[in-house]
Amino acid sequence: MTEILSALDLLPAPAILVDERLRVYGANEATGLILPTLKAPSSLVEQCAEEDGDKLLNLLILSPDSPGCPAGLDIELGSEKDGRRWRNLQAKQVAGFAGFFVVTILDIHAAKTTQIETRRWEERWNAALVGSDLGVWDHDIRRGDYFYSGKWKEIRGIPRDSEVNADYESWIEAVHPDDREHVRTYIEKQAAGDLSVTACEYRERHTDGTYVWVECRGACVETFQDGTAARIIGTDLDITARKEAEGQIQRLKQRFELALEATRIGVFEADIVDHTVQFDDTLLEIFGLTGSPAIMGGDDWLSVIHPDDRHSALRRIEKGLASGNDFSNEFRIIRASDQTLRHIRSRAARFIDANGRQKIIGANWDVTDDISVRDELERAKTLAEARNTELEAIRSRLEFNALHDDLTGLPNRRFLDETLARRSEAAGLSILHIDLDRFKQINDTLGHRAGDFMLTHTSSVLRSTAASEDFVARIGGDEFVVVSPFQGDLCRLQAMAQRIIEQLRAPVYVDKTPCRVGASVGIAFDARPDCDATQLLQNADMALYRAKSNGKNRYEFFTSELQDQIVVKKRVSDEILASLERGEFIPYFQPQFDARSLDLAGVETLARWAHPLKGVLPPATFLAIAEELDVVSAIDAMIMEKSLEHMTALGSSAPKISFNISVRRLSDPELLTKLDRLPIPPEKISFELLETIFLDDSEGDLAANIEALRSRGFGLEIDDFGSGHASVIGLLKVKPNTLKVDRALIKPIVENREQRQLVQAIIEIGHSLGMKVTAEGVETAAHIDMLRDMNCDMLQGFALAKPMSYTDLLGFIAREDWRR
């Protein structure tokens, strides 16, 4: 054994003497330089990772003395503390000493590391190509080897595992006839070794018979001695969608030009730096400058404006430019062609062109006729307001002094109150409270004249139905009351209510137009002497509310059950107010996802009631009562405050948070001040506005607050789009960032072709107006795929995530559950 160890010292390479269990008996000096922690007695296994121990044992089993011996073993050796390096180990059994081996070590760390890194780069490059939308092709002309990737075949509808016929003439036949000439030219230049030719767009026939647009990019990487291409490598990209989008843009441009021509709107572009203005032909015609140069100096344009309006017009332009927002202008011109005075209205916006020059683009149109009509209407309005003021004063005096309704001739509310006070002393009293159904629709569609006719008709029906001792009154709007003595005859009350409903349901004609109203009736009675008539009227009102809630055109009696429901409603109201004080309304979050990547795009905040006894309750259990209590805005504020605390903690994990906002909350004069103090940037916050409330009725304070939110950088979204009656004009007024398509439209798209087309149209309208589109109610994988193909931007629904608490949201984001 001593002789073997002495022989090891003579070896220039590191060498170790081990037994068949890898116990170390000695090593030469060279080994100490690369494995300083290796000492005898110890085990060579201690110098490698635990999972590599079996490899070392196999090295001895398959030593060079064994048949089929491998060329050593590549393994990482060294202490865990100092770091392990790649070594090549070879083992040879010691002659005459059974069970002993000499292991020699060669340092291969640099070469092995380079090899591994090269393999990793190759894997990354291959993965990148496979994961991209690029089809790869390689024409090795020198060797006659032609390669086409699976994606290349997929673009053309060819199965990935199919062979491709590389014959040039066969392939060129698949190219669209209109594109073949320039494709041939492109290929000929590449084949000639022209490195300046790298890209070509053309149409190629798909296996289904349609044509796909292909963007081909290639380059010569090897050449023959004569300079012609020996090898060309490139990629193909399916750009059909992009080409279709370009076509859509061109069609929109044509429509825009037609619209301008039809509406006689002239367009101008002004250069702020060199003070020049360019007019289109329509605007030159409006100004009476037909035949003049299309580009002129700013002073030339000012000379057309009426002298009295030049200063104010310039001030409005300067103010608009300073604000950075779109701005309007209005001025008079003296038309150059005929010296007539015309009124011009203008709308303009500031922008920076592709060369970085600051410019203004805008439109002018002649509103002379509109101004004339407006002035005439203003004069008529002034006269009408003066007359209405006089009539209102007369009516106020009459209503103050009279006890009867001047339209129907029935007693009014004041007369009713006096009558109830007198009849409370009588033994037994009953009250029928009548409210007309669909009365507002008649007023809105046929006008107030028809509405007044229906009110007088109703008064006639009630008079004819009531007995001589009954008292009939109109107490306001379309509400009437019949007060009658009660001696216990319920059948009489039922019969009276039924007759009223049947007679009012029958059609009557106003100017030969049939009109139909219905009636809901609430009945309350008390047979006791000295009954509380005021309470009885309230009971009849509650019964009327029940009749309307149960479908209208019916009557309901006040009952103890109804009383109990009122008590329950009162209790729930008290609980809501108490929960507000205790902060028991909490946010739930429903994530929203990018339709393409399924990355988390944001979360919508939803209100939940953490009831102390019943657990977490959805809005359906408290929202209606909360609206009656007028505390919805307070709940909104509480939800927002708690949500923003959570979102501050989440940071970049949640790119955006959106809130539903009520009308009262949006009209809060302190809203903007509170929002300015929020802990997260405005661009991460969106407010969801109900379509039915805001789109077609966003005027006055609401419109001002919406504009203020937009100017501060907050996002605006139209919620439940498609469920109401909003118009495109309404969309243009509000200018939301996002449309949220109502779940009722999304659910049937998988099965219903017409519904799919409707949703597709909404998405295209939203995109054409610069808005993103979110689909609500995404419940299946089929919904996800279909909406992605429709180019929808974001998805929200149970297929990806249900509403959840903040704690559940943290885990959901961390685990990326939706990707499973």
Side-chain angles (χ1 to χ4, degrees):
M1 187 67 67
T2 304
E3 295 175 357
I4 299 173
L5 294 175
S6 299
L8 292 181
D9 291 331
L10 299 177
L11 297 175
I16 308 169
L17 178 63
V18 299
D19 63 12
E20 59 188 3
R21 294 187 178 180
L22 292 174
R23 287 193 292 263
V24 177
Y25 286 84
N28 63 5
E29 184 176 352
T31 303
L33 296 176
I34 64 173
L35 298 174
T37 60
L38 179 69
K39 305 294 181 183
S42 65
S43 173
L44 185 57
V45 176
E46 296 173 0
Q47 299 295 315
C48 70
E50 182 178 350
E51 61 270 16
D52 290 341
D54 290 342
K55 296 178 183 179
L56 285 175
L57 290 173
N58 289 335
L59 176 68
L60 301 185
I61 296 171
L62 300 174
S63 67
D65 296 329
S66 305
C69 167
L73 170 67
D74 291 346
I75 194 171
E76 289 185 290
L77 285 183
S79 68
E80 186 173 357
K81 177 181 179 182
D82 297 332
R84 298 185 173 98
R85 294 175 62 84
W86 282 100
R87 320 287 185 182
N88 178 265
L89 276 60
Q90 297 191 11
K92 184 173 180 62
Q93 189 170 2
V94 181
F97 291 87
F100 285 90
F101 301 83
V102 173
V103 179
T104 58
I105 305 174
L106 178 63
D107 189 342
I108 61 169
H109 189 76
K112 190 72 174 183
T113 303
T114 301
Q115 178 186 2
I116 292 171
E117 187 62 26
T118 300
R119 186 183 303 115
R120 287 176 179 169
W121 275 109
E122 289 177 350
E123 291 172 351
R124 290 170 186 160
W125 176 243
N126 290 334
L129 283 178
V130 171
S132 72
D133 290 330
L134 296 175
V136 180
W137 51 269
D138 183 351
H139 292 177
D140 193 336
I141 304 167
R142 187 194 305 276
R143 299 173 181 80
D145 185 12
Y146 295 86
F147 167 78
Y148 302 95
S149 71
K151 185 63 180 180
W152 187 95
K153 300 173 186 176
E154 182 183 310
I155 290 172
R156 293 154 175 83
I158 302 171
R160 284 177 170 262
D161 54 357
S162 297
E163 294 294 328
V164 176
N165 182 6
D167 178 64
Y168 172 74
E169 291 301 330
S170 298
W171 172 79
I172 202 70
E173 283 298 318
V175 175
H176 195 285
D178 295 344
D179 299 339
R180 286 176 190 165
E181 188 60 34
H182 84 266
V183 170
R184 285 184 186 274
T185 303
Y186 166 75
I187 294 174
E188 289 169 359
K189 289 183 178 180
Q190 275 197 337
D194 188 345
L195 298 179
S196 66
V197 180
T198 59
C200 177
E201 295 180 0
Y202 65 93
R203 288 162 289 181
E204 186 173 339
R205 188 168 55 249
H206 194 275
T207 56
D208 63 7
T210 62
Y211 281 93
V212 293
W213 274 98
V214 177
E215 180 183 73
C216 175
R217 293 185 176 273
C220 176
V221 296
E222 293 181 20
T223 60
F224 293 109
Q225 289 184 351
D226 61 359
T228 59
R231 187 178 184 185
I232 306 173
I233 299 176
T235 60
D236 284 0
L237 177 65
D238 185 344
I239 59 171
T240 306
R242 189 184 80 193
K243 285 293 186 179
E244 290 176 352
E246 290 173 354
Q248 178 67 13
I249 291 173
Q250 182 61 31
R251 288 190 293 273
L252 288 174
K253 179 182 176 182
Q254 292 173 350
R255 293 173 188 169
F256 176 69
E257 291 174 349
L258 287 173
L260 288 178
E261 183 178 349
T263 55
R264 302 296 299 157
I265 293 177
V267 178
F268 69 87
E269 183 178 300
D271 191 308
I272 300 176
V273 178
D274 61 14
H275 301 289
T276 60
V277 185
Q278 181 175 356
F279 299 113
D280 71 352
D281 293 342
T282 302
L283 194 52
L284 288 173
E285 182 181 342
I286 290 173
F287 283 3
L289 297 173
T290 303
S292 300
I295 301 177
M296 61 181 68
D299 292 338
D300 297 328
W301 169 72
L302 277 176
S303 65
V304 182
I305 298 179
H306 193 286
D308 294 344
D309 294 352
R310 289 173 189 168
H311 179 68
S312 59
L314 281 175
R315 286 195 60 186
R316 279 191 287 269
I317 293 173
E318 292 168 356
K319 185 177 179 181
L321 291 175
S323 71
N325 299 322
D326 298 356
F327 60 93
S328 301
N329 209 338
E330 192 167 335
F331 48 84
R332 294 168 296 171
I333 65 168
I334 300 174
R335 192 156 57 190
S337 59
D338 56 12
Q339 298 300 303
T340 59
L341 183 69
R342 309 299 294 177
H343 290 266
I344 303 298
R345 193 165 291 158
S346 173
R347 186 74 181 170
R350 182 175 181 172
F351 76 103
I352 299 176
D353 69 8
N355 298 319
R357 296 182 68 85
Q358 295 190 18
K359 293 186 175 182
I360 303 172
I361 190 168
N364 287 180
W365 59 99
D366 189 327
V367 294
T368 305
D369 294 340
D370 295 341
I371 295 295
S372 299
V373 173
R374 185 192 68 186
D375 291 345
E376 184 62 32
L377 289 175
E378 283 294 332
R379 287 191 292 272
K381 179 183 175 184
T382 301
L383 179 60
E385 287 177 348
R387 289 177 177 174
N388 286 339
T389 300
E390 181 181 356
L391 291 174
E392 191 63 33
I394 295 172
R395 176 185 291 181
S396 297
R397 290 194 298 271
L398 290 174
E399 288 180 347
F400 179 80
N401 295 318
L403 292 175
H404 290 80
D405 171 47
D406 59 347
L407 175 64
T408 64
L410 292 176
N412 59 16
R413 180 58 185 259
R414 177 181 173 185
F415 200 168
L416 171 66
D417 291 340
E418 294 179 1
T419 301
L420 290 178
R422 290 195 306 271
R423 294 204 179 189
S424 294
E425 302 172 359
L429 196 64
S430 64
I431 295 179
L432 280 69
H433 192 170
I434 301 102
D435 184 85
L436 299 184
D437 301 329
R438 298 185 301 277
F439 176 75
K440 185 177 185 298
Q441 288 90 322
I442 290 178
N443 253 343
D444 292 344
T445 57
L446 300 179
H448 290 288
R449 179 174 175 274
D452 290 348
F453 180 87
M454 295 309 299
L455 291 174
T456 56
H457 170 68
T458 301
S459 68
S460 299
V461 169
L462 295 179
R463 281 193 180 103
S464 64
T465 304
S468 58
E469 67 271 24
D470 296 341
F471 180 87
V472 181
R474 178 190 175 201
I475 62 173
D478 57 344
E479 293 185 63
F480 298 81
V481 166
V482 177
V483 181
S484 178
F486 180 70
Q487 302 297 333
D489 189 0
L490 293 180
C491 293
R492 175 179 174 271
L493 296 178
Q494 290 175 317
M496 183 188 301
Q498 191 61 44
R499 284 198 305 272
I500 291 171
I501 292 170
E502 290 175 356
Q503 291 186 45
L504 291 179
R505 188 163 49 193
V508 294
Y509 289 82
V510 179
D511 293 338
K512 299 182 181 180
T513 300
C515 294
R516 293 177 181 269
V517 294
S520 299
V521 182
I523 308 171
F525 59 89
D526 193 342
R528 298 172 299 173
D530 300 326
C531 63
D532 188 341
T534 302
Q535 182 61 51
L536 201 60
L537 181 61
Q538 293 178 4
N539 293 349
D541 182 63
M542 286 184 278
L544 172 63
Y545 180 81
R546 166 71 68 85
K548 281 191 167 292
S549 300
N550 288 343
K552 302 181 181 180
N553 249 352
R554 59 187 295 131
Y555 64 85
E556 291 283 350
F557 281 88
F558 178 83
T559 63
S560 58
E561 176 188 358
L562 180 56
Q563 181 69 48
D564 293 340
Q565 290 179 359
I566 295 170
V567 172
V568 170
K569 183 176 180 181
K570 174 64 166 60
R571 176 175 54 78
V572 173
S573 299
D574 293 340
E575 289 177 349
I576 289 175
L577 295 175
S579 290
L580 267 175
E581 294 177 357
R582 295 192 295 264
E584 292 172 347
F585 289 93
I586 61 174
Y588 261 45
F589 303 93
Q590 185 168 25
Q592 300 168 334
F593 304 88
D594 183 280
R596 289 286 174 194
S597 63
L598 289 188
D599 291 339
L600 182 66
V603 293
E604 179 184 3
T605 306
L606 305 169
R608 293 293 186 268
W609 183 7
H611 195 282
L613 300 177
K614 299 178 182 179
V616 178
L617 303 178
T621 61
F622 63 84
L623 188 58
I625 297 178
E627 288 176 344
E628 291 184 10
L629 293 173
D630 199 22
V631 295
V632 173
S633 59
I635 294 175
D636 283 349
M638 182 179 295
I639 295 299
M640 180 183 293
E641 181 179 353
K642 294 182 178 181
S643 299
L644 292 178
E645 291 177 1
H646 295 325
M647 301 316 292
T648 301
L650 276 175
S652 61
S653 298
K656 179 178 69 70
I657 181 171
S658 59
F659 299 92
N660 291 294
I661 186 166
S662 65
V663 178
R664 179 62 62 88
R665 179 74 169 149
L666 188 58
S667 303
D668 181 1
E670 298 296 321
L671 175 63
L672 298 177
T673 303
K674 296 173 183 175
L675 293 179
D676 288 340
R677 298 196 294 266
L678 291 180
I680 63 178
E683 58 268 18
K684 294 192 69 174
I685 300 175
S686 286
F687 292 103
E688 296 188 10
L689 318 177
L690 283 179
E691 176 209 34
T692 52
I693 296 176
F694 288 97
L695 279 184
D696 289 335
D697 195 23
S698 55
E699 302 292 344
D701 293 339
L702 288 181
N705 275 351
I706 290 173
E707 184 58 37
L709 290 174
R710 182 186 296 105
S711 67
R712 283 167 166 76
F714 293 102
L716 294 175
E717 301 181 18
I718 300 302
D719 197 14
D720 297 337
F721 185 78
S723 64
H725 57 279
S727 64
V728 175
I729 293 176
L731 278 178
L732 294 175
K733 286 182 182 179
V734 179
K735 300 177 185 175
N737 307 94
T738 303
L739 293 181
K740 296 190 71 179
V741 184
D742 187 73
R743 65 183 69 250
L745 297 180
I746 296 299
K747 184 176 180 180
I749 65 171
V750 175
E751 305 294 338
N752 190 311
R753 178 172 174 270
E754 293 181 353
Q755 201 75 15
R756 277 197 304 276
Q757 291 175 338
L758 175 59
V759 172
Q760 181 74 66
I762 292 174
I763 293 173
E764 291 175 357
I765 289 172
H767 288 170
S768 69
L769 296 176
M771 305 168 190
K772 291 188 175 181
V773 180
T774 299
E776 295 180 294
V778 179
E779 297 180 356
T780 65
H783 279 116
I784 297 173
D785 294 340
M786 193 167 290
L787 288 164
R788 182 189 292 121
D789 293 341
M790 291 182 182
N791 205 23
C792 187
D793 300 295
M794 288 181 288
L795 307 177
Q796 178 179 343
F798 283 17
L800 294 163
K802 296 181 179 180
M804 61 191 75
S805 66
Y806 173 67
T807 303
D808 292 339
L809 179 65
L810 290 177
F812 180 81
I813 294 175
R815 296 187 302 270
E816 293 194 348
D817 289 348
W818 68 92
R819 298 195 186 275
R820 303 175 187 173

